[in-house]
Structure formats: structure tokens, C-alpha cells
Amino acid sequence: MALSANPASLSFEASKRSAKKSDTLFFRSLLESDDKANAIVAPNAAPANTPTMIFVSFFMVLVIYLLNIINPQVFLFFSSYKNQSIMKRIFFIDLDNTIYFTGQNEEQLMGELYRFLENLDLGISQADFQLAKQEMLRTPFLKVAKKYRFNEKVMPEVISYLENRSVTQPLKPSDDYHYIKSLTGRKFIVTAGFPKQQLSKVKMLGIANDFEEVHVVDVSSTNKKERFEMLIDQHQLNKDDILIIGDDAESEIKFGLELGITTFLLDPENLHPNAESTFKGTDLSSLHAVAGQSD
């Protein structure tokens, strides 16, 4: 799905700060384009009606300004689209529910874990356990355990199990993975979880050679923001060249925006309708357009 073919299929969002900054630049570009249009005339053509052109330019600016007040999304679409001239060549990409979907690989990923937990006294009802299992498909385990108040007495045993657990069955990447694989540039996986488990997922997905590096973040002691900063410093990266791709509005997307990096929030189930992100999509079909790499 090319960005120019069906712009309504992709929801563009940006922070209010970037919108204000883009305001002046976008309006100025309209005036500059009009000036250039006036300058390029045939040798025998009549002089351009300068007052009329000034009025038209002013009218266009006024209309867009009013649209920005009435419906900021309209303005943000145009300003974001205009900025696609900056091609992204560096990609920080989440793993779970971005490169692959846990729901499509539930038995391979979660079957043994479910059976292990069923034999423990988690101190919660069966109904809550079923809800917790569903949340484990899209949320880091430790966050789920905290939310549902798993019995603290068994948590050391659970954490030990997870720290030493590997995924041993083949996993299937998402149907959209080819959009990530075909991006031109340097690609880094930045995922949160238990290192042995996360690295085994990459191996079972068969995608290790598609990435320059794989980084697993231990959320109990750090976060993705610190890892992004480390990668930028270590590889001397320009933030303007980076695109962060992920499904977690409160992790990689939030931290990316805080660092002034362009973000793409993958939200196929519209779980984050009000989340801030530079770009947002229900699939990855517009990823090349967002990265400025569309044909």
C-alpha cells in the first residue's frame, strides 16, 4: 500500500511540539514554491499577476492554519508526508508482535510456560489466570505478574525458569516481515525480556542474518531508551537517519519520541488509539513510504 495511493489507510500522528515546529516550515515552503512558479515563465508570456499570487498563497496558508486548529490530524498528515524527503537508513526494531506475532505461535512460545505455571500456587483465581495468559501474548511477563499479583513466594522459581528457558520449536515471522527485510540500511533488533529466551526466538525465526545486531534489554534494571542512546553513541548514529518500529506505545515508541527519533507504531488491533507516534499503521505495508524508500 503506497502512501500516495491511499493516504486514508494510514493514520499519521505527531507530538504537538513537532507540529508547531513544522507549521512555519510548511507554510514557508508553500510561499517559496509560489515564488519559483512565478519565476519560471515563457519568454513571451505576460507577467504574473503578483497581487493575485500573493492572495492565493495567503489564502492557502490561512486554510491550512484553520485546518490545523479544527483538525490537527489533517495538518500533521501533510507535514509528515512532506518530511519524507529524509530517507531513513537505520532501524531499531522490536521483536515480539512486530517481527512475529505471539498469537500465531502461541503453542511453540507459551505452551510449556502455561503448563509450568499451572503447577504453581500463583495465588490468583482461574479466571484471572486465563486473563493473565492472554496478556502474556503481548506484554512482558514481569509486568503481567505484577498486575495480577502473582504469589511472590513462587516468583523466584518462575524467574529462574524463564532465565534458563529457550524456545526450541520453529516460529513463523509475520506475513508483513518482508517489508522489514527489504528495507535498505542498518537494522538492529532491540527487544525486552530474558536474553536466552529472546535470542532463541530470533534463532527459531531464522532471521538472525537479516540484522546487524540483536540487543536484549533487561527491563528489571534498564529500559529501551538507555539502549537506544547506547547504540547511537556506540555507532555514532545520526538521529535523523533512524526509524524506530514497534508495537509498544509505552516503551520503544514513547522513548523514541523522547529522544527526538521518528517512530512507527504497529497497532493492528487499535489498542493504542490515542498514543503519540510520528506514524501509525495497522500493518507494515506503508513502511517503505514512511522510511522514504518507496519507489
Side-chain angles (χ1 to χ4, degrees):
M1 175 180 64
L3 185 62
S4 58
N6 185 16
S9 61
L10 179 66
S11 171
F12 290 93
E13 298 184 356
S15 65
K16 294 180 179 178
R17 297 189 304 273
S18 61
K20 290 179 179 177
K21 184 176 180 181
S22 299
D23 240 347
T24 302
L25 295 175
F26 187 65
F27 297 160
R28 184 183 300 164
S29 69
L30 286 174
L31 294 173
E32 289 175 351
S33 64
D34 286 337
D35 290 342
K36 291 178 182 178
N38 287 336
I40 303 173
V41 296
N44 297 323
N49 190 332
T50 303
T52 301
M53 295 305 297
I54 293 175
F55 175 78
V56 170
S57 297
F58 176 78
F59 180 75
M60 291 174 65
V61 170
L62 179 61
V63 169
I64 295 173
Y65 180 74
L66 291 175
L67 283 173
N68 187 29
I69 295 174
I70 298 170
N71 186 357
Q73 294 298 333
V74 175
F75 172 78
L76 292 172
F77 170 82
F78 284 108
S79 60
S80 297
Y81 183 80
K82 181 178 175 62
N83 288 335
Q84 289 318 292
S85 59
I86 303 176
M87 182 182 291
K88 306 301 180 183
R89 297 183 180 276
I90 302 163
F91 304 93
F92 296 163
I93 306 169
D94 182 38
L95 176 64
D96 302 309
N97 294 308
T98 300
I99 289 175
Y100 80 98
F101 288 108
T102 52
Q104 297 174 354
N105 298 274
E106 185 171 7
E107 178 55 34
Q108 301 97 302
L109 286 168
M110 311 299 290
E112 291 184 6
L113 175 60
Y114 291 159
R115 290 185 282 274
F116 174 78
L117 294 174
E118 286 169 356
N119 292 322
L120 298 176
D121 179 15
L122 296 178
I124 62 175
S125 68
Q126 186 61 30
D128 279 348
F129 181 59
Q130 295 303 318
L131 292 174
K133 283 167 58 177
Q134 290 304 305
E135 290 202 31
M136 287 179 208
L137 293 174
R138 60 178 184 270
T139 305
F141 176 83
L142 293 179
K143 288 186 178 181
V144 176
K146 183 177 181 180
K147 176 179 177 179
Y148 287 90
R149 298 181 180 180
F150 285 7
N151 185 354
E152 292 185 2
K153 293 181 179 180
V154 302
M155 285 305 296
E157 183 179 355
V158 175
I159 291 174
S160 177
Y161 169 83
L162 292 171
E163 287 176 340
N164 293 284
R165 176 177 182 256
S166 294
V167 177
T168 58
Q169 299 181 55
L171 301 175
K172 180 182 179 296
S174 77
D175 293 337
D176 281 354
Y177 177 65
H178 62 96
Y179 293 113
I180 291 176
K181 185 174 181 178
S182 59
L183 287 169
T184 300
R186 305 173 68 180
K187 287 171 274 190
F188 302 82
I189 290 178
V190 183
T191 180
F194 298 93
K196 188 175 182 179
Q197 179 174 258
Q198 295 302 93
L199 292 173
S200 70
K201 291 177 183 178
V202 174
K203 180 180 179 180
M204 289 297 102
L205 284 162
I207 61 171
N209 291 334
D210 296 339
F211 298 88
E212 184 172 330
E213 295 175 2
V214 177
H215 291 261
V216 182
V217 178
D218 180 358
V219 294
S220 66
S221 59
T222 184
N223 57 46
K224 287 188 178 181
K225 182 176 182 179
E226 294 180 357
R227 188 57 56 93
F228 292 156
E229 291 175 315
M230 186 203 78
L231 283 170
I232 291 168
D233 291 341
Q234 179 181 334
H235 294 281
Q236 295 297 297
L237 304 177
N238 186 336
K239 291 181 182 180
D240 291 337
D241 295 333
I242 303 173
L243 176 65
I244 294 175
I245 307 164
D247 72 299
D248 194 336
E250 295 301 317
S251 181
E252 61 268 1
I253 302 301
K254 174 187 174 183
F255 296 140
L257 292 175
E258 289 177 358
L259 292 172
I261 299 173
T262 302
T263 61
F264 181 92
L265 173 62
L266 176 62
D267 191 12
E269 299 178 15
N270 197 31
L271 298 175
H272 310 286
N274 300 316
E276 289 189 9
S277 181
T278 316
F279 299 98
K280 188 180 192 181
T282 57
D283 57 40
L284 296 177
S285 60
S286 58
L287 190 56
H288 279 246
V290 167
Q293 296 188 13
S294 57
D295 296 333

